[in-house]
Amino acid sequence: MRPAPALLLCAALASTALLTGCGKETAGASASPGATCASLAPLPDPAGRTWDNVRVISGKCGPSGAPSTGFEVTNTDKEPLTFTLTFTLVNGLGEAMDNITRTVEAVKPGQTVRRPLDAADGPGSARSYRARIMKVRAVPADGAGGDCPSSGVRITNDRGDAAMGLRVVGILLENCGAADYRLNGYPALRLLGEDREPVSGVKILRGTTAISTGIGGDAEPRPVTLRPGESARATLAWRNTTTEGDPVNAPYTEVTAKPGAAPVTVTPELDLGTTGRLGVGPWTKTPAAARTGELPGQE
């Protein structure tokens, strides 16, 4: 008798020592009916970290039903979280072929969400790769990305610039609500470590002049009124110099836009070295040309 296709898949995967539960359906709140996904052993993180709430999976895991390498993320927190996950796809020779970042928004407490890790070539294109989990970031869902939060403002961070040990990142606030939103001064920051617990020993400076000049955070604070659709930016600047002592890394930052506002957690990935200082510029309105992508003088 000819073996069933599922058994052939089991045998093929087991022969490469990738499979730990072949043919066993993995329960997940967002799994497609009848979808079977087996747990793969993810390649180890070079830094030796493990991620308890993210798993690499294989099988007919995606919406297309095509065999694919994928992942599951489980929210073990008590509030909805938005996850940003970074993977490296590795071929059978151990060569890194692609880096992929995936965002899973608003995962409810206790919920497991399953997604494919398809490469640029479409559904199933990652099936011949194994995946290495490189980074996992999880922030409270209300306030950072996705649909307009209940506050009427969305707070994120840009990717920033780095040169010769100087780091500059923008904290971006968009008025996505229906009413004007007023700012005046500096955002209040609380730095958080990998476990989203407060980081101590860092002095937060008003303005960025003490870090470096000409990087956009030196202006005097002024009242800013954002109409619906308008946005503002505050510049963060630091140096990642490391001398004596333990370097400080704060991947998360809790941002309070103004007194009385609810804090929003973003991920500027502050690698502060042993400098112990972070400069923060005031809120400034983003020029219309920057918001629309137009250059000055264009019509």
Side-chain angles (χ1 to χ4, degrees):
M1 188 187 316
R2 186 176 180 179
L7 294 178
L8 289 174
L9 176 62
C10 280
L13 290 176
S15 67
T16 56
L18 298 182
L19 194 62
T20 59
C22 190
K24 182 179 180 181
E25 182 167 347
T26 302
S30 297
S32 302
T36 56
C37 291
S39 174
L40 289 172
L43 294 174
D45 185 307
R49 293 166 295 192
T50 59
W51 314 99
D52 294 336
N53 55 351
V54 180
R55 296 196 314 141
V56 175
I57 54 178
S58 181
K60 296 181 179 180
C61 306
S64 67
S68 179
T69 296
F71 67 91
E72 286 182 344
V73 58
T74 301
N75 182 2
T76 57
D77 210 302
K78 297 180 180 179
E79 61 180 323
L81 297 176
T82 290
F83 290 84
T84 301
L85 315 168
T86 303
F87 300 87
T88 294
L89 296 182
V90 178
N91 66 14
L93 299 176
E95 300 168 329
M97 303 301 294
D98 197 6
N99 288 327
I100 295 180
T101 298
R102 294 289 181 263
T103 298
V104 186
E105 296 181 350
V107 182
K108 298 176 182 177
Q111 183 184 20
T112 295
V113 174
R114 178 179 298 157
R115 293 285 187 271
L117 260 180
D118 294 328
D121 294 333
S125 57
R127 64 182 178 270
S128 60
Y129 299 130
R130 292 183 67 189
R132 174 181 287 135
I133 305 169
M134 299 298 294
K135 184 167 64 176
V136 176
R137 297 289 181 252
V139 300
D142 189 36
D147 297 333
C148 189
S150 56
S151 63
V153 296
R154 182 184 294 112
I155 299 177
T156 56
N157 61 270
D158 63 22
R159 297 183 65 180
D161 293 309
M164 300 296 289
L166 175 65
R167 306 285 195 262
V168 179
V169 168
I171 300 297
L172 312 176
L173 184 150
E174 177 193 357
N175 181 1
C176 57
D180 289 353
Y181 192 83
R182 292 176 176 82
L183 297 165
N184 189 2
Y186 302 84
L189 306 180
R190 190 167 73 132
L191 310 188
L192 308 176
E194 287 269 3
D195 54 2
R196 302 213 312 271
E197 292 295 323
V199 170
S200 60
V202 178
K203 186 176 182 180
I204 297 178
L205 311 174
R206 290 198 165 189
T208 59
T209 304
I211 306 298
S212 185
T213 58
I215 55 177
D218 302 335
E220 291 294 322
R222 298 176 56 186
V224 174
T225 298
L226 301 179
R227 295 178 179 177
E230 293 184 330
S231 59
R233 170 191 169 102
T235 298
L236 307 187
W238 71 96
R239 294 189 181 276
N240 74 332
T241 306
T242 299
T243 54
E244 295 183 0
D246 296 325
V248 173
N249 293 297
Y252 300 98
T253 298
E254 196 176 77
V255 180
T256 302
K258 62 181 181 180
V264 175
T265 304
V266 294
T267 54
E269 305 285 346
L270 304 178
D271 55 339
L272 297 161
T274 55
T275 60
R277 300 194 305 170
L278 173 67
V280 184
W283 290 115
T284 58
K285 183 180 288 190
T286 306
R291 294 195 302 270
T292 62
E294 297 176 354
L295 296 175
Q298 286 185 327
E299 296 183 358

